[in-house]
Amino acid sequence: MAVVGPSGSGKTTLLAVIAGLVVPQAGSVTRAGAPVRPDDVGWVMQTTPLLRARSATANVALAALARGADRAAADRLARALLDELGLGDRASVPVRRLSGGERQRVAVARALAQDAPLVIADEPTASLDAESRDRVVDALLAVERAGRLVLVATHDPAVATRCSRVVTLVDGPPG
Protein backbone atom coordinates (compact mmCIF):
# COMPACT_ATOMS: atom_id res chain seq x y z
CA MET A 1 0.00 0.00 0.00
CA ALA A 2 1.22 3.48 -0.80
CA VAL A 3 0.49 6.53 1.33
CA VAL A 4 0.74 9.71 -0.71
CA GLY A 5 0.13 13.36 0.00
CA PRO A 6 1.89 16.70 0.13
CA SER A 7 4.68 17.48 2.56
CA GLY A 8 3.22 18.08 6.01
CA SER A 9 0.10 16.01 5.38
CA GLY A 10 1.01 13.49 8.08
CA LYS A 11 2.49 10.58 6.11
CA THR A 12 5.47 10.06 8.42
CA THR A 13 3.33 10.54 11.53
CA LEU A 14 0.83 7.96 10.26
CA LEU A 15 3.62 5.46 9.60
CA ALA A 16 5.05 6.03 13.09
CA VAL A 17 1.62 5.45 14.66
CA ILE A 18 1.13 2.25 12.65
CA ALA A 19 4.62 1.07 13.62
CA GLY A 20 3.86 1.59 17.29
CA LEU A 21 6.50 4.29 17.68
CA VAL A 22 3.95 7.04 18.37
CA VAL A 23 0.89 6.53 20.57
CA PRO A 24 -2.28 7.74 18.83
CA GLN A 25 -4.37 10.38 20.59
CA ALA A 26 -7.39 8.12 20.17
CA GLY A 27 -8.01 4.58 18.99
CA SER A 28 -5.47 1.83 18.48
CA VAL A 29 -3.54 0.05 15.77
CA THR A 30 -3.89 -3.71 15.51
CA ARG A 31 -2.74 -6.39 13.12
CA ALA A 32 -4.67 -9.65 13.12
CA GLY A 33 -6.44 -8.48 16.29
CA ALA A 34 -3.27 -7.84 18.30
CA PRO A 35 -1.48 -4.54 18.94
CA VAL A 36 1.38 -3.80 16.55
CA ARG A 37 4.70 -3.90 18.40
CA PRO A 38 7.84 -2.15 17.15
CA ASP A 39 9.58 -5.52 16.69
CA ASP A 40 6.78 -6.53 14.27
CA VAL A 41 8.03 -3.83 11.90
CA GLY A 42 10.92 -3.61 9.46
CA TRP A 43 11.30 0.17 9.23
CA VAL A 44 13.03 2.26 6.56
CA MET A 45 13.13 5.84 7.80
CA GLN A 46 13.81 8.86 5.63
CA THR A 47 17.19 9.14 7.32
CA THR A 48 17.95 5.63 8.50
CA PRO A 49 20.94 5.47 10.82
CA LEU A 50 23.57 3.02 9.65
CA LEU A 51 26.86 1.93 11.18
CA ARG A 52 29.13 4.09 9.03
CA ALA A 53 32.39 2.28 9.80
CA ARG A 54 30.91 -1.16 9.05
CA SER A 55 30.39 -2.69 5.63
CA ALA A 56 27.08 -2.80 3.82
CA THR A 57 26.95 -6.55 4.53
CA ALA A 58 27.53 -6.03 8.25
CA ASN A 59 24.77 -3.40 8.42
CA VAL A 60 22.24 -5.68 6.74
CA ALA A 61 23.34 -8.81 8.60
CA LEU A 62 22.78 -7.01 11.91
CA ALA A 63 19.01 -7.21 11.39
CA ALA A 64 19.12 -10.97 10.81
CA LEU A 65 21.43 -11.47 13.79
CA ALA A 66 19.04 -9.51 15.99
CA ARG A 67 16.24 -11.91 15.13
CA GLY A 68 18.38 -14.94 15.99
CA ALA A 69 20.07 -16.00 12.73
CA ASP A 70 23.59 -17.38 12.99
CA ARG A 71 26.45 -15.34 11.49
CA ALA A 72 26.81 -17.41 8.30
CA ALA A 73 23.08 -17.32 7.54
CA ALA A 74 22.90 -13.59 8.31
CA ASP A 75 25.81 -12.86 5.97
CA ARG A 76 24.29 -15.00 3.18
CA LEU A 77 20.96 -13.22 3.52
CA ALA A 78 22.66 -9.82 3.59
CA ARG A 79 24.66 -10.55 0.43
CA ALA A 80 21.55 -11.88 -1.36
CA LEU A 81 19.54 -8.78 -0.48
CA LEU A 82 22.38 -6.45 -1.47
CA ASP A 83 22.68 -8.32 -4.80
CA GLU A 84 18.93 -7.96 -5.35
CA LEU A 85 19.21 -4.22 -4.76
CA GLY A 86 22.17 -3.81 -7.12
CA LEU A 87 24.83 -3.48 -4.42
CA GLY A 88 26.58 -6.84 -4.69
CA ASP A 89 29.82 -5.20 -5.79
CA ARG A 90 29.63 -2.74 -2.87
CA ALA A 91 28.85 -5.30 -0.13
CA SER A 92 32.24 -5.10 1.58
CA VAL A 93 32.56 -1.31 1.33
CA PRO A 94 32.21 0.67 4.58
CA VAL A 95 28.91 2.54 4.58
CA ARG A 96 30.70 5.89 5.01
CA ARG A 97 32.14 5.42 1.50
CA LEU A 98 28.77 4.75 -0.15
CA SER A 99 26.68 7.37 -1.91
CA GLY A 100 23.42 8.55 -0.38
CA GLY A 101 21.41 6.38 -2.77
CA GLU A 102 23.56 3.34 -1.98
CA ARG A 103 23.07 3.95 1.74
CA GLN A 104 19.33 4.13 1.20
CA ARG A 105 19.37 0.74 -0.51
CA VAL A 106 21.43 -0.69 2.39
CA ALA A 107 18.72 0.60 4.74
CA VAL A 108 16.02 -1.09 2.65
CA ALA A 109 17.98 -4.36 2.65
CA ARG A 110 18.40 -4.16 6.44
CA ALA A 111 14.63 -3.66 6.92
CA LEU A 112 13.92 -6.65 4.68
CA ALA A 113 16.46 -8.76 6.57
CA GLN A 114 14.43 -8.28 9.75
CA ASP A 115 11.82 -10.62 8.27
CA ALA A 116 9.13 -8.69 10.14
CA PRO A 117 5.47 -9.25 9.20
CA LEU A 118 5.12 -5.53 8.44
CA VAL A 119 7.57 -3.47 6.38
CA ILE A 120 7.15 0.29 6.59
CA ALA A 121 9.20 2.45 4.25
CA ASP A 122 9.14 6.25 4.47
CA GLU A 123 10.23 7.67 1.10
CA PRO A 124 12.54 4.70 0.39
CA THR A 125 13.21 5.80 -3.19
CA ALA A 126 13.55 9.57 -2.72
CA SER A 127 17.27 9.76 -3.46
CA LEU A 128 17.41 7.02 -6.09
CA ASP A 129 17.72 7.00 -9.87
CA ALA A 130 15.00 5.21 -11.86
CA GLU A 131 16.87 1.88 -12.08
CA SER A 132 17.59 1.78 -8.34
CA ARG A 133 14.04 2.91 -7.56
CA ASP A 134 12.65 0.04 -9.61
CA ARG A 135 14.94 -2.47 -7.83
CA VAL A 136 13.71 -1.25 -4.44
CA VAL A 137 10.06 -1.42 -5.49
CA ASP A 138 10.62 -4.89 -6.98
CA ALA A 139 12.15 -6.06 -3.68
CA LEU A 140 9.26 -4.60 -1.67
CA LEU A 141 6.69 -6.22 -3.97
CA ALA A 142 8.47 -9.58 -3.63
CA VAL A 143 8.14 -9.26 0.15
CA GLU A 144 4.44 -8.56 -0.25
CA ARG A 145 3.99 -11.60 -2.53
CA ALA A 146 5.67 -13.66 0.22
CA GLY A 147 2.84 -12.69 2.58
CA ARG A 148 4.22 -9.71 4.45
CA LEU A 149 2.42 -6.36 4.57
CA VAL A 150 4.28 -3.45 2.95
CA LEU A 151 3.38 0.19 3.56
CA VAL A 152 5.26 2.89 1.63
CA ALA A 153 5.01 6.66 1.97
CA THR A 154 6.02 8.29 -1.29
CA HIS A 155 5.85 11.40 -3.42
CA ASP A 156 6.84 9.37 -6.50
CA PRO A 157 3.91 8.49 -8.81
CA ALA A 158 6.03 5.71 -10.36
CA VAL A 159 6.16 4.02 -6.95
CA ALA A 160 2.52 4.62 -6.03
CA THR A 161 1.16 3.22 -9.30
CA ARG A 162 2.94 -0.09 -8.67
CA CYS A 163 1.22 -0.53 -5.31
CA SER A 164 -2.00 -2.50 -5.01
CA ARG A 165 -3.65 0.22 -2.91
CA VAL A 166 -3.08 3.95 -2.56
CA VAL A 167 -4.23 6.11 0.35
CA THR A 168 -4.07 9.87 -0.17
CA LEU A 169 -3.68 12.21 2.78
CA VAL A 170 -5.01 15.66 2.01
CA ASP A 171 -4.96 17.69 5.21
CA GLY A 172 -2.15 17.62 7.72
CA PRO A 173 -2.58 16.45 11.27
CA PRO A 174 -4.62 18.71 13.54
CA GLY A 175 -2.64 21.66 14.90
Coordinates of all heavy atoms in Angstrom, one line a residue, residues 4-55:
V4 N 0.3 8.5 0.0 CA 0.7 9.7 -0.7 C 0.1 11.0 -0.2 O -1.0 10.9 0.5 CB 0.5 9.6 -2.2 CG1 1.2 8.4 -2.8 CG2 -1.0 9.5 -2.5
G5 N 0.7 12.1 -0.4 CA 0.1 13.4 0.0 C 1.2 14.4 0.0 O 2.4 14.0 0.0
P6 N 0.9 15.6 0.1 CA 1.9 16.7 0.1 C 2.7 16.7 1.4 O 2.3 16.1 2.4 CB 1.1 18.0 0.0 CG -0.3 17.6 0.6 CD -0.5 16.2 0.2
S7 N 3.9 17.3 1.4 CA 4.7 17.5 2.6 C 3.8 18.1 3.7 O 3.1 19.0 3.4 CB 5.9 18.4 2.3 OG 6.7 17.7 1.4
G8 N 4.0 17.6 4.9 CA 3.2 18.1 6.0 C 1.8 17.5 6.2 O 1.1 17.9 7.1
S9 N 1.5 16.6 5.3 CA 0.1 16.0 5.4 C 0.0 14.9 6.4 O -1.1 14.5 6.8 CB -0.3 15.5 4.0 OG 0.5 14.4 3.6
G10 N 1.1 14.5 7.0 CA 1.0 13.5 8.1 C 1.4 12.1 7.7 O 1.2 11.2 8.5
K11 N 2.1 11.9 6.5 CA 2.5 10.6 6.1 C 3.4 9.9 7.1 O 3.2 8.8 7.5 CB 3.2 10.6 4.7 CG 2.2 11.1 3.6 CD 2.9 11.1 2.3 CE 4.1 12.0 2.2 NZ 3.9 13.4 2.3
T12 N 4.5 10.6 7.5 CA 5.5 10.1 8.4 C 4.8 9.8 9.8 O 5.1 8.8 10.4 CB 6.7 11.0 8.5 OG1 7.3 11.1 7.2 CG2 7.7 10.5 9.5
T13 N 4.0 10.7 10.2 CA 3.3 10.5 11.5 C 2.4 9.3 11.5 O 2.4 8.5 12.4 CB 2.5 11.8 11.9 OG1 3.4 12.9 12.0 CG2 1.8 11.6 13.2
L14 N 1.7 9.1 10.4 CA 0.8 8.0 10.3 C 1.7 6.7 10.3 O 1.3 5.7 11.0 CB 0.0 8.0 9.0 CG -0.8 6.8 8.6 CD1 -1.9 6.6 9.7 CD2 -1.5 6.9 7.3
L15 N 2.8 6.7 9.6 CA 3.6 5.5 9.6 C 4.1 5.2 11.0 O 4.2 4.0 11.4 CB 4.8 5.6 8.6 CG 4.5 5.8 7.1 CD1 5.7 5.9 6.3 CD2 3.6 4.6 6.7
A16 N 4.5 6.2 11.7 CA 5.0 6.0 13.1 C 4.0 5.5 14.0 O 4.2 4.7 14.9 CB 5.6 7.3 13.6
V17 N 2.7 6.0 13.9 CA 1.6 5.5 14.7 C 1.4 4.0 14.3 O 1.2 3.1 15.2 CB 0.3 6.3 14.5 CG1 -0.9 5.6 15.0 CG2 0.5 7.7 15.0
I18 N 1.4 3.6 13.1 CA 1.1 2.3 12.6 C 2.2 1.4 13.2 O 2.0 0.2 13.6 CB 1.0 2.2 11.1 CG1 -0.3 2.8 10.7 CG2 1.0 0.7 10.6 CD1 -0.5 3.0 9.2
A19 N 3.5 1.9 13.2 CA 4.6 1.1 13.6 C 4.7 0.9 15.1 O 5.5 0.2 15.7 CB 5.9 1.7 13.1
G20 N 3.8 1.7 15.8 CA 3.9 1.6 17.3 C 4.9 2.5 17.9 O 5.2 2.4 19.1
L21 N 5.5 3.4 17.2 CA 6.5 4.3 17.7 C 5.9 5.6 18.3 O 6.5 6.3 19.0 CB 7.5 4.6 16.6 CG 8.3 3.5 16.0 CD1 9.1 3.9 14.8 CD2 9.1 2.7 17.0
V22 N 4.7 5.9 17.9 CA 3.9 7.0 18.4 C 2.6 6.5 18.8 O 1.9 5.8 18.1 CB 3.8 8.1 17.3 CG1 2.9 9.2 17.7 CG2 5.1 8.7 16.9
V23 N 2.2 6.9 20.0 CA 0.9 6.5 20.6 C -0.2 7.5 20.0 O 0.0 8.7 20.1 CB 0.9 6.6 22.1 CG1 -0.5 6.3 22.7 CG2 2.0 5.7 22.7
P24 N -1.2 6.9 19.4 CA -2.3 7.7 18.8 C -3.0 8.5 19.9 O -3.1 8.0 21.1 CB -3.2 6.8 18.1 CG -2.9 5.4 18.7 CD -1.5 5.5 19.2
Q25 N -3.6 9.6 19.6 CA -4.4 10.4 20.6 C -5.7 9.7 20.9 O -6.2 9.8 22.0 CB -4.7 11.8 20.1 CG -3.4 12.6 20.0 CD -3.7 14.0 19.4 OE1 -4.8 14.3 18.9 NE2 -2.7 14.9 19.5
A26 N -6.2 8.9 20.0 CA -7.4 8.1 20.2 C -7.3 6.9 19.3 O -6.6 6.8 18.3 CB -8.6 8.9 19.8
G27 N -8.0 5.8 19.8 CA -8.0 4.6 19.0 C -6.8 3.7 19.2 O -6.0 4.0 20.1
S28 N -6.6 2.7 18.4 CA -5.5 1.8 18.5 C -5.2 1.3 17.1 O -6.0 1.3 16.2 CB -5.8 0.7 19.5 OG -6.9 -0.1 19.0
V29 N -4.0 0.7 17.0 CA -3.5 0.0 15.8 C -3.4 -1.4 16.1 O -2.7 -1.8 17.0 CB -2.2 0.6 15.2 CG1 -1.8 -0.1 14.0 CG2 -2.4 2.1 15.0
T30 N -4.0 -2.3 15.3 CA -3.9 -3.7 15.5 C -3.6 -4.4 14.2 O -3.9 -3.8 13.1 CB -5.2 -4.3 16.1 OG1 -6.3 -4.1 15.2 CG2 -5.5 -3.7 17.5
R31 N -3.0 -5.5 14.3 CA -2.7 -6.4 13.1 C -3.2 -7.8 13.5 O -2.7 -8.3 14.5 CB -1.3 -6.4 12.8 CG -0.9 -7.2 11.6 CD 0.6 -7.2 11.3 NE 0.9 -8.3 10.5 CZ 1.1 -9.6 10.9 NH1 0.9 -9.9 12.1 NH2 1.4 -10.5 10.0
A32 N -4.1 -8.3 12.8 CA -4.7 -9.7 13.1 C -5.2 -9.7 14.6 O -5.0 -10.7 15.3 CB -3.6 -10.7 12.9
G33 N -5.8 -8.6 15.0 CA -6.4 -8.5 16.3 C -5.5 -8.2 17.5 O -6.0 -8.1 18.6
A34 N -4.2 -8.1 17.2 CA -3.3 -7.8 18.3 C -2.6 -6.5 18.1 O -2.4 -6.1 16.9 CB -2.2 -8.9 18.4
P35 N -2.2 -5.8 19.1 CA -1.5 -4.5 18.9 C -0.2 -4.7 18.1 O 0.5 -5.8 18.3 CB -1.2 -4.1 20.4 CG -2.1 -4.9 21.2 CD -2.4 -6.2 20.5
V36 N 0.1 -3.8 17.3 CA 1.4 -3.8 16.6 C 2.5 -3.4 17.5 O 2.4 -2.4 18.2 CB 1.3 -2.8 15.3 CG1 2.7 -2.8 14.6 CG2 0.3 -3.3 14.4
R37 N 3.5 -4.2 17.6 CA 4.7 -3.9 18.4 C 5.8 -3.5 17.5 O 5.9 -3.9 16.4 CB 5.1 -5.1 19.2 CG 4.0 -5.7 20.1 CD 4.4 -7.0 20.6 NE 4.8 -7.9 19.5 CZ 5.6 -9.0 19.6 NH1 6.0 -9.4 20.7 NH2 5.9 -9.7 18.5
P38 N 6.7 -2.6 18.0 CA 7.8 -2.1 17.1 C 8.7 -3.3 16.6 O 9.2 -3.2 15.4 CB 8.7 -1.3 18.1 CG 7.6 -0.7 19.0 CD 6.7 -1.9 19.3
D39 N 8.8 -4.4 17.3 CA 9.6 -5.5 16.7 C 8.8 -6.3 15.6 O 9.4 -7.2 15.0 CB 10.2 -6.4 17.8 CG 9.1 -7.1 18.6 OD1 8.0 -6.5 18.7 OD2 9.4 -8.1 19.3
D40 N 7.5 -6.0 15.4 CA 6.8 -6.5 14.3 C 7.1 -5.8 13.0 O 6.5 -6.2 11.9 CB 5.3 -6.4 14.5 CG 4.8 -7.3 15.6 OD1 5.4 -8.3 15.9 OD2 3.7 -7.0 16.2
V41 N 7.9 -4.7 13.0 CA 8.0 -3.8 11.9 C 9.5 -3.8 11.4 O 10.4 -3.5 12.2 CB 7.6 -2.4 12.3 CG1 7.7 -1.4 11.1 CG2 6.1 -2.5 12.8
G42 N 9.7 -3.9 10.1 CA 10.9 -3.6 9.5 C 10.7 -2.2 9.0 O 9.9 -1.9 8.1
W43 N 11.5 -1.3 9.5 CA 11.3 0.2 9.2 C 12.4 0.8 8.4 O 13.6 0.6 8.7 CB 11.2 0.8 10.6 CG 11.0 2.3 10.6 CD1 12.0 3.3 10.6 CD2 9.8 3.0 10.6 NE1 11.4 4.5 10.6 CE2 10.0 4.4 10.6 CE3 8.4 2.6 10.5 CZ2 9.1 5.4 10.6 CZ3 7.5 3.6 10.5 CH2 7.8 5.0 10.5
V44 N 12.1 1.5 7.3 CA 13.0 2.3 6.6 C 12.6 3.7 6.8 O 11.6 4.2 6.2 CB 13.0 1.9 5.1 CG1 14.1 2.7 4.3 CG2 13.2 0.4 4.8
M45 N 13.4 4.4 7.5 CA 13.1 5.8 7.8 C 13.7 6.7 6.7 O 14.6 6.3 5.9 CB 13.7 6.3 9.1 CG 13.2 5.5 10.3 SD 14.1 6.0 11.8 CE 13.3 4.9 13.0
Q46 N 13.3 8.0 6.6 CA 13.8 8.9 5.6 C 15.3 9.0 5.8 O 16.1 9.2 4.8 CB 13.1 10.2 5.7 CG 11.7 10.2 5.1 CD 11.1 11.6 5.1 OE1 11.7 12.6 5.0 NE2 9.8 11.6 5.2
T47 N 15.8 9.1 7.0 CA 17.2 9.1 7.3 C 17.5 8.0 8.3 O 17.6 8.2 9.5 CB 17.6 10.5 8.0 OG1 16.7 10.7 9.1 CG2 17.4 11.6 7.0
T48 N 17.7 6.8 7.7 CA 17.9 5.6 8.5 C 19.4 5.6 9.0 O 20.3 5.7 8.2 CB 17.7 4.4 7.7 OG1 16.3 4.4 7.2 CG2 17.9 3.1 8.5
P49 N 19.6 5.5 10.3 CA 20.9 5.5 10.8 C 21.6 4.1 10.5 O 21.0 3.1 10.7 CB 20.8 5.6 12.3 CG 19.4 5.2 12.6 CD 18.6 5.5 11.3
L50 N 22.8 4.2 10.0 CA 23.6 3.0 9.6 C 24.9 3.1 10.4 O 25.3 4.2 10.8 CB 23.8 2.9 8.1 CG 22.6 2.8 7.2 CD1 23.0 3.0 5.8 CD2 21.9 1.4 7.5
L51 N 25.5 2.0 10.6 CA 26.9 1.9 11.2 C 27.9 2.3 10.1 O 28.3 1.5 9.3 CB 27.1 0.5 11.8 CG 26.1 0.1 12.8 CD1 26.3 -1.4 13.2 CD2 26.1 1.0 14.0
R52 N 28.3 3.5 10.1 CA 29.1 4.1 9.0 C 30.5 3.4 8.9 O 31.0 3.4 7.7 CB 29.3 5.6 9.2 CG 28.0 6.3 9.1 CD 28.1 7.8 9.3 NE 29.1 8.5 8.5 CZ 28.9 8.9 7.3 NH1 27.7 8.8 6.7 NH2 29.9 9.5 6.6
A53 N 31.1 2.9 9.9 CA 32.4 2.3 9.8 C 32.3 0.8 9.4 O 33.3 0.2 9.0 CB 33.1 2.4 11.1
R54 N 31.1 0.3 9.4 CA 30.9 -1.2 9.1 C 30.5 -1.3 7.6 O 30.0 -0.3 7.0 CB 29.8 -1.8 9.9 CG 30.1 -1.7 11.4 CD 31.3 -2.5 11.9 NE 31.3 -3.9 11.6 CZ 30.8 -4.8 12.4 NH1 30.4 -4.6 13.6 NH2 30.8 -6.1 12.0
S55 N 30.7 -2.4 7.0 CA 30.4 -2.7 5.6 C 28.9 -2.7 5.4 O 28.1 -2.9 6.4 CB 31.0 -4.0 5.2 OG 30.3 -5.1 5.8

